[in-house]
Amino acid sequence: MCATCGCDANASSSIRQFGENHPHPHDHDHSHDHTHSKTIIEVEKDVLYENNLLAQRNRGYFEAKNILALNLVSSPGSGKTSLLERTLTDLKDQFTCYVIEGDQQTSRDADRIHATGTRVAQINTGKGCHLDAHMILHAVQGMKPAENSILFIENVGNLVCPAMFDLGEKERVVIISVTEGDDKPIKYPDMFHTSTLCIINKIDLLPYVPFSMDKVKEHARQVNPTLSFLEVSCTSGEGLPAWYQWLKEKIQVPEQV
Amino acid sequence: MHELSIVMSIIRIAETESAKNNAIKVEEIELDIGALSGIEMTAFDFAWQQAVRATLLEHSKRKINHIPGEGQCMDCAALFPMQQLYEPCPVCGEHFVSVQKGKELRVKSLVVN
Ligand SMILES: Nc1nc2c(ncn2[C@@H]2O[C@H](COP(=O)(O)OP(=O)(O)OP(=O)(O)O)[C@@H](O)[C@H]2O)c(=O)[nH]1
Ligand SMILES: [Mg+2]
Ligand SMILES: [Zn+2]
Ligand SMILES: [Zn+2]
Ligand SMILES: [Zn+2]
Ligand SMILES: [Zn+2]
């Protein structure tokens, strides 16, 4: 039993305890008064309420410790890990950073982060195609991030499923690379609808692919008129200073007295 | 396939609510699913079949209220039906739209005994 969230290690198997048999094993030949009456329960509960509750708990924790938690989402291969590798290396001396890596199977991304000297927790989701607030809660418990730090959460590469699951992050950052085509925002609107910043990566490849910067922004603004954009290349480093500036503005380190 | 985790959450809610009412069987479950909720119904049905086995929802009748999307323009206040999140206001063409209906994803009621 987990004291913080009340979860039970055997929670998934408990599903199987219900409903298999009629649980009172007497037979019904004898007649006793025993009504199996119907009850209507007005539940009116959001299906995601449990996730949302835990996300709010995470958010409270991050706010109390002034931790800037960022949820990085994209399709597989857009450059989430590459962006983190660059960022962690370049900002090493300025901020304390932590990373949570969501990966279905391997520890490849976590190894890449580890190589930068950053503290990293790895969550293997198996068949699961997204991280949820409960996973983050336990990863953070083990990690105990320091105050005034940045926590990067690399979600599972998937432009659909992670959109529905609030992790308690301060900002959701969607990454799209120029090789994916400029129509992605309207093909996967939920992800762009719920993000605050869109990083357009791999701009070093612009000369080689049919990709219109204006079109992608126009499509994204149709879904989310308040979305901001940054254009970067993790390979050449172009545009990264603007990303670092964005992070600095968000972190708000309290003034030393 | 986030639909599977959605179905698992529905099962957990049904179990909790049934236990509160000392119920052992769910005869009927009523769900609200909005057109803009991010649920793909084919995937949802598939996940449902897999996940409810040997749970108290296995033989439950499922009633789904599909709620159509509705947007309100933040500029001219027009209300209009919305099929997609990227649709502009049909009156003034602006994209500052707030989604009024269609995001629902809710367990509405259970009939238990
Ligand atoms: N040309 C170019 N390649 C890049 C850039 N950024 C990343 N890549 C390459 O794109 C590939 C995928 O990058 P990753 O950082 O692993 O992408 P990811 O989003 O973490 O992928 P998943 O974790 O699998 O979802 C790698 O081969 C990177 O070297 C870039 O700016 N330009
Ligand atoms: Mg990665
Ligand atoms: Zn737990
Ligand atoms: Zn009986
Ligand atoms: Zn999925
Ligand atoms: Zn309008």
Side-chain angles (χ1 to χ4, degrees):
Chain A
M1 175 84 164
C2 163
T4 316
C5 62
C7 78
D8 180 338
N10 300 317
S12 55
S13 57
S14 74
I15 292 167
R16 316 222 155 240
Q17 289 167 20
F18 288 80
E20 293 187 35
N21 304 302
H22 189 138
H24 31 246
H26 58 242
D27 74 46
H28 275 211
D29 293 341
H30 61 268
S31 64
H32 57 194
D33 200 19
H34 180 112
T35 47
H36 289 196
S37 63
K38 288 186 189 179
T39 314
I40 298 176
I41 310 173
E42 303 289 345
V43 182
E44 298 287 351
K45 211 166 228 176
D46 196 302
V47 172
L48 290 167
Y49 87 100
E50 209 177 1
N51 185 73
N52 295 340
L53 227 69
L54 292 174
Q56 279 310 104
R57 179 175 295 191
N58 292 344
R59 188 166 282 119
Y61 175 88
F62 296 142
E63 276 171 15
K65 303 195 86 176
N66 193 36
I67 295 167
L68 174 63
L70 303 174
N71 182 3
L72 305 185
V73 295
S74 82
S75 23
S78 304
K80 299 179 292 301
T81 313
S82 305
L83 181 72
L84 288 178
E85 287 175 307
R86 288 292 300 233
T87 307
L88 297 166
T89 308
D90 292 346
L91 299 186
K92 196 174 269 172
D93 302 326
Q94 296 177 53
F95 298 109
T96 311
C97 296
Y98 299 86
V99 176
I100 295 175
E101 274 293 338
D103 208 322
Q104 288 195 302
Q105 300 286 346
T106 71
S107 67
R108 296 179 70 90
D109 286 359
D111 295 340
R112 285 166 64 188
I113 300 300
H114 183 70
T116 68
T118 309
R119 189 73 201 277
V120 54
Q122 141 107 32
I123 300 172
N124 278 128
T125 56
K127 287 203 170 61
C129 39
H130 58 267
L131 294 174
D132 65 35
H134 191 199
M135 298 170 186
I136 299 304
L137 187 139
H138 284 288
V140 168
Q141 273 175 350
M143 190 170 235
K144 299 189 177 60
E147 292 191 8
N148 309 321
S149 58
I150 307 180
L151 171 63
F152 296 99
I153 303 167
E154 177 175 342
N155 218 312
V156 179
N158 183 321
L159 260 190
V160 182
C161 309
M164 289 178 89
F165 297 85
D166 184 7
L167 305 180
E169 71 265 26
K170 179 91 185 285
E171 311 264 347
R172 188 172 292 185
V173 179
V174 60
I175 299 163
I176 175 181
S177 58
V178 303
T179 52
E180 292 168 57
D182 46 36
D183 58 353
K184 285 295 167 292
I186 47 173
K187 288 183 77 177
Y188 303 97
D190 290 285
M191 202 60 102
F192 291 84
H193 191 71
T194 57
S195 296
T196 44
L197 174 68
C198 174
I199 294 183
I200 304 168
N201 187 29
K202 309 194 189 180
I203 55 171
D204 57 295
L205 299 178
L206 273 174
Y208 313 106
V209 289
F211 182 92
S212 157
M213 206 50 93
D214 289 341
K215 269 230 180 75
V216 76
K217 290 180 183 173
E218 187 190 313
H219 284 145
R221 285 203 185 98
Q222 286 171 11
V223 179
N224 179 357
T226 60
L227 192 65
S228 343
F229 300 91
L230 291 173
E231 303 168 21
V232 308
S233 163
C234 294
T235 307
S236 73
E238 196 183 341
L240 289 177
W243 158 240
Y244 300 153
Q245 190 53 40
W246 186 90
L247 287 172
K248 281 172 198 161
E249 279 161 20
K250 295 288 172 188
I251 180 80
Q252 302 166 335
V253 181
E255 293 191 19
Q256 307 289 324
V257 239
Chain B
M1 268 289 284
H2 54 284
E3 283 80 4
L4 185 61
S5 9
I6 296 298
V7 174
M8 301 297 275
S9 303
I10 293 172
I11 295 170
R12 273 202 299 278
I13 291 173
E15 282 176 347
T16 312
E17 297 293 326
S18 301
K20 272 194 232 162
N21 289 270
N22 298 316
I24 48 152
K25 190 158 172 274
V26 174
E27 295 216 339
E28 190 180 314
I29 180 162
E30 185 184 7
L31 307 171
D32 286 345
I33 300 184
L36 304 172
S37 67
I39 294 294
E40 214 269 290
M41 282 315 292
T42 318
F44 183 82
D45 288 338
F46 181 73
W48 185 275
Q49 281 171 25
Q50 304 293 310
V52 299
R53 271 191 212 139
T55 74
L56 80 180
L57 289 181
E58 181 166 14
H59 302 293
S60 311
K61 190 169 158 250
R62 204 181 64 177
K63 183 176 172 214
I64 298 182
N65 309 315
H66 295 280
I67 300 172
E70 185 183 282
Q72 179 159 39
C73 178
M74 311 275 270
D75 279 307
C76 76
L79 279 169
F80 58 93
M82 232 184 152
Q83 261 91 51
Q84 301 288 350
L85 285 173
Y86 50 80
E87 277 171 44
C89 167
V91 179
C92 71
E94 279 300 327
H95 279 284
F96 282 94
V97 171
S98 91
V99 179
Q100 299 292 310
K101 285 189 191 138
K103 281 275 186 192
E104 298 81 0
L105 186 54
R106 201 184 299 136
V107 178
K108 198 160 165 51
S109 68
L110 297 170
V111 179
V112 298
N113 65 26

